[in-house]
């Protein structure tokens, strides 16, 4: 029988990995809480229409990458490929739009059928924030600032570069689309088959193509920032002024685009050179048309998402695992007492490892294996005295401590 292995594009999170992941999530959660964002959790799978409406029928995610299936009830279901659509669906179906502004943080797994790569598996994990109901540039600045604060709290902000661009309003994008179609039409014969289809259905998606032939053509394409009307230019200037006020350095990158019509104004990415070609660690933008496109009211939104795997790869040091206290019983009577003592110490907030079997030497070896800070040794003599022998496993010193005082003794710094 073949050895069972994880499915390609998935991997196990063992305790060290989980500790690093938890550090990233907790850091993001704390940064978001300080900015007034509440946590939301949406289902891992949704009706496929949720993503087809938001990502577009011509996108690679919908046509090639979504994990979709028909369930036993005949419904078309998709494992979520990203977090924003589910959050917006929750706002609409929960009748929350009347309570804007809404400020949400989320964390969890996403799924895309694509070639596994460094920091991105087919099941990957993200943290993200959404600010719904704020149409002013100040909202963009706050969201970007929250991203920068999260990276700084993780100790990796100095290794990341913020790149921003403006997608303008609908009028600006329409003007740009005309210029782009004219340019790409002149190079139609040299485009890939996929990009020729996109040229007809959604030309901005050609700018996202990874095909080397397309990339060469796109390099000479007109840039959207040159098509901004006064309103869009003013909005972009206000965002840059806000970032300047916060002291957040940035670089304008006119090649950052989003191919969907509901994206507008600010698009941004935090990138790093520390991960090779896969350099984007946090990305987002403004999506003022998304809620309405999904059947809700016309309310604006802006947000970002960040890959936990990539962030975890950049974090140099995570807090070490909390060292436990090892409760070491010797004898049958001591084992029963050890159960009660372990329960009391855990209730007091200590991490406790209970020796299950073996003589004193074997249980002490287990205490060392789990890197315990102290061993609480219980034998017949200790039980008779209503005390325990507490051994400091670093210094080797030990003392007799009354059971009633045990938690306080072990909690002392």
């Amino acid at each position: 029988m073949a050895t069972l292995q994880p499915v390609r594009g998935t991997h196990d999170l063992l305790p060290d990995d989980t500790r690093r992941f938890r550090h990233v999530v907790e850091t993001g959660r704390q940064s978001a809480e300080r900015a007034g964002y509440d946590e939301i959790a949406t289902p891992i799978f949704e009706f496929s229409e949720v993503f087809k409406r938001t990502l577009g029928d011509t996108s690679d995610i919908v046509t090639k990458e979504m994990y979709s299936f028909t369930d036993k009830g005949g419904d078309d279901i998709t494992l979520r490929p990203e977090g924003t659509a589910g959050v917006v669906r929750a706002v609409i179906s929960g009748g929350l739009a009347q309570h804007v502004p809404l400020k949400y943080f989320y964390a969890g797994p996403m799924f895309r059928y694509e070639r596994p790569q460094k920091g991105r598996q087919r099941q990957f994990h993200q943290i993200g924030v959404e600010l719904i109901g704020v149409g002013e540039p100040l909202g963009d600045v706050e969201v970007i600032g929250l991203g920068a604060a999260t990276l700084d709290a993780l100790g990796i902000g100095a290794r990341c570069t913020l790149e921003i661009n403006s997608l303008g309003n609908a009028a600006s994008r329409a003007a740009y689309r005309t210029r782009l179609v004219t340019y790409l039409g002149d190079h139609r014969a040299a485009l890939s088959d996929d990009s020729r289809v996109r040229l007809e259905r959604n030309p901005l998606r050609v700018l996202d193509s990874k095909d080397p032939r397309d990339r060469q053509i796109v390099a000479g394409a007109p840039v959207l920032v040159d098509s901004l009307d006064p309103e869009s230019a003013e909005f972009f200037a206000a965002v840059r002024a806000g970032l300047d006020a916060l002291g957040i350095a940035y670089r304008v990158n006119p090649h950052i685009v989003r191919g969907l019509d509901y994206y507008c104004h600010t698009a941004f990415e935090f990138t790093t050179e520390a991960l090779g070609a896969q350099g984007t660690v946090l990305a987002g933008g403004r999506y003022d048309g998304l809620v309405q496109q999904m059947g809700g009211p016309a309310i604006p939104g802006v947000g970002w998402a960040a890959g936990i795997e990539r962030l975890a790869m950049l974090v140099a040091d995570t807090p070490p695992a909390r060292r436990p206290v090892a409760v070491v019983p010797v004898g049958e009577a001591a084992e029963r007492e050890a159960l009660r003592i372990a329960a009391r110490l855990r209730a007091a907030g200590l991490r406790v490892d209970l020796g299950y079997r073996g003589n004193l030497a074997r249980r002490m070896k287990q205490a060392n294996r789990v890197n315990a800070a102290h061993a609480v040794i219980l034998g017949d003599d200790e039980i008779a005295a209503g005390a325990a022998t507490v051994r400091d496993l670093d210094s080797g010193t030990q003392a007799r401590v009354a059971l009633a005082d045990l938690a306080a003794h072990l909690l002392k710094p």
Side-chain angles (χ1 to χ4, degrees), residues 110-176:
M110 312 292 166
F111 305 84
R112 293 188 189 179
Y113 188 87
E114 56 185 349
R115 182 177 61 82
Q117 54 189 272
K118 187 175 184 180
R120 172 65 69 86
Q121 299 291 312
R122 289 175 176 174
Q123 176 179 319
F124 59 101
H125 303 78
Q126 289 184 336
I127 57 172
V129 300
E130 311 295 349
L131 174 59
I132 298 173
V134 177
E136 291 79 8
L138 190 61
D140 304 52
V141 177
E142 178 181 280
V143 165
I144 295 173
L146 179 50
T150 300
L151 297 177
D152 286 341
L154 287 168
I156 62 178
R159 303 169 67 189
C160 298
T161 300
L162 170 60
E163 301 180 7
I164 63 172
N165 190 28
S166 174
L167 308 179
N169 56 19
S172 296
R173 288 195 307 282
Y176 175 65

Side-chain angles (χ1 to χ4, degrees), residues 107-326:
M110 312 292 166
F111 305 84
R112 293 188 189 179
Y113 188 87
E114 56 185 349
R115 182 177 61 82
Q117 54 189 272
K118 187 175 184 180
R120 172 65 69 86
Q121 299 291 312
R122 289 175 176 174
Q123 176 179 319
F124 59 101
H125 303 78
Q126 289 184 336
I127 57 172
V129 300
E130 311 295 349
L131 174 59
I132 298 173
V134 177
E136 291 79 8
L138 190 61
D140 304 52
V141 177
E142 178 181 280
V143 165
I144 295 173
L146 179 50
T150 300
L151 297 177
D152 286 341
L154 287 168
I156 62 178
R159 303 169 67 189
C160 298
T161 300
L162 170 60
E163 301 180 7
I164 63 172
N165 190 28
S166 174
L167 308 179
N169 56 19
S172 296
R173 288 195 307 282
Y176 175 65
R177 180 187 174 109
T178 300
R179 295 180 61 200
L180 181 64
V181 168
T182 299
Y183 172 82
L184 293 176
D186 293 339
H187 297 82
R188 181 185 179 86
L191 290 172
S192 67
D193 291 341
D194 282 347
S195 286
R196 282 198 290 271
V197 172
R198 290 169 178 157
L199 178 58
E200 300 298 326
R201 302 181 67 177
N202 193 337
L204 265 68
R205 288 195 180 280
V206 177
L207 302 176
D208 293 327
S209 173
K210 302 299 186 293
D211 188 290
R213 295 168 296 172
D214 297 338
R215 299 307 304 164
Q216 191 171 7
I217 295 170
V218 165
V223 292
L224 204 157
V225 71
D226 292 337
S227 296
L228 296 182
D229 62 14
E231 176 194 343
S232 300
E234 182 180 348
F235 192 103
F236 193 34
V239 172
R240 298 198 308 274
L243 296 174
D244 291 339
L246 289 177
I248 298 175
Y250 60 87
R251 179 172 71 88
V252 175
N253 180 354
H255 298 292
I256 296 177
V257 295
R258 303 286 188 266
L260 299 170
D261 288 342
Y262 57 76
Y263 281 111
C264 62
H265 293 299
T266 314
F268 61 92
E269 298 178 357
F270 285 87
T271 62
T272 181
E273 296 181 353
L275 296 177
Q278 308 303 324
T280 301
V281 296
L282 187 155
R286 175 164 284 281
Y287 49 84
D288 286 358
L290 177 58
V291 180
Q292 187 174 24
Q293 182 168 319
M294 291 184 68
I299 54 177
V302 58
W304 55 253
I308 299 176
E309 283 86 349
R310 291 182 183 174
L311 294 177
M313 291 166 64
L314 289 172
V315 174
D317 298 304
T318 56
R322 188 178 179 187
R323 296 180 69 186
V325 172

Side-chain angles (χ1 to χ4, degrees), residues 42-77:
T42 61
I44 288 177
F45 55 85
E46 300 266 3
F47 290 117
S48 297
E49 186 65 19
V50 169
F51 304 111
K52 289 180 179 179
R53 281 196 190 188
T54 58
L55 298 173
D57 290 336
T58 62
S59 72
D60 282 349
I61 296 176
V62 170
T63 60
K64 301 177 182 179
E65 298 174 6
M66 290 203 320
Y67 278 95
S68 298
F69 59 94
T70 302
D71 70 7
K72 293 181 179 180
D75 292 319
D76 188 10
I77 302 296

